């Protein structure tokens, strides 16, 4: 009996790791920059509306530097996921460079577009990302619906 309990204890980490998969959706683009040494920024995206995403919908997650006021925010990294047949919440993972200037102020922005490129959902608040070289989980990020 003790062997069964001990064996299931060893199996638990493997089962938990299996739960952290992407849930059937896949990354459709590689990161756009060579970031060198990186740390990961993870989280889950959701929205409050009770609706399924249309076929061909995709999410774009952008990490940018918002330190300079009244200036375009330079993109640090961006990734795109195909969300066909995916329901919310869904997990994302994005790489962040470890070597950053101390004046950098990182923000994560997420959007969901339909197959024609029309914006459906977006983040409407600042989602700060640490600049220290550690992995960070942002938790659940709730997006808002844009104009119909």
């Amino acid at each position: 009996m003790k062997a069964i309990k001990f064996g299931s204890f060893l199996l638990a980490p493997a089962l938990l790791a299996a739960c952290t998969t992407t849930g059937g959706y896949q990354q459709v683009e590689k990161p756009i920059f060579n970031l060198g040494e990186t740390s990961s920024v993870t989280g889950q995206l959701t929205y409050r509306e009770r609706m399924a995403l249309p076929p061909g919908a995709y999410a774009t997650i952008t990490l940018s530097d918002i330190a300079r006021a009244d200036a375009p925010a330079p993109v640090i990294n961006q990734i795109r996921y195909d969300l066909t047949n995916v329901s919310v919440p869904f997990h994302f993972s994005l790489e962040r460079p470890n070597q950053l200037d101390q004046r950098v102020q990182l923000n994560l922005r997420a959007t969901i577009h339909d197959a024609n490129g029309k914006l459906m959902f977006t983040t409407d608040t600042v989602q700060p990302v640490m600049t220290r070289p550690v992995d960070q989980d942002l938790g659940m990020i709730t997006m808002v619906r844009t104009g119909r």
Side-chain angles (χ1 to χ4, degrees):
M1 188 66 163
K2 287 184 180 180
I4 294 173
K5 288 181 183 178
F6 183 71
S8 58
F9 176 73
L10 292 176
L11 241 128
L15 292 174
L16 287 175
C19 293
T20 61
T21 62
T22 58
Y25 64 93
Q26 60 184 350
Q27 176 181 331
V28 294
E29 294 178 354
K30 295 289 184 194
I32 58 175
F33 299 104
N34 179 6
L35 301 174
E37 294 278 328
T38 62
S39 299
S40 62
V41 177
T42 60
Q44 294 181 0
L45 297 177
T46 190
Y47 50 83
R48 295 179 196 257
E49 285 74 12
R50 297 182 72 147
M51 62 180 278
L53 293 171
Y58 61 91
T60 304
I61 296 108
T62 306
L63 186 65
S64 55
D65 175 13
I66 59 169
R68 295 181 54 194
D70 298 329
V75 173
I76 305 297
N77 197 4
Q78 186 174 53
I79 197 164
R80 186 170 140 176
Y81 290 100
D82 179 17
L83 300 178
T84 303
N85 298 323
V86 174
S87 60
V88 294
F90 54 88
H91 177 76
F92 69 87
S93 180
L94 182 70
E95 296 300 312
R96 178 188 60 68
N98 285 340
Q99 302 299 320
L100 290 170
D101 189 320
Q102 293 301 315
R103 297 170 291 193
V104 169
Q105 191 173 7
L106 296 178
N107 177 57
L108 184 125
R109 179 169 187 242
T111 58
I112 297 177
H113 294 83
D114 66 12
N116 297 325
K118 181 181 176 197
L119 183 63
M120 297 177 63
F121 294 95
T122 187
T123 51
D124 65 342
T125 58
V126 172
Q127 302 295 326
V129 175
M130 292 186 297
T131 57
R132 293 181 302 181
V134 295
D135 293 341
Q136 181 180 3
D137 183 11
L138 298 176
M140 189 71 67
I141 297 172
T142 303
M143 305 170 75
V144 295
R145 188 157 186 197
T146 60
R148 301 173 200 261

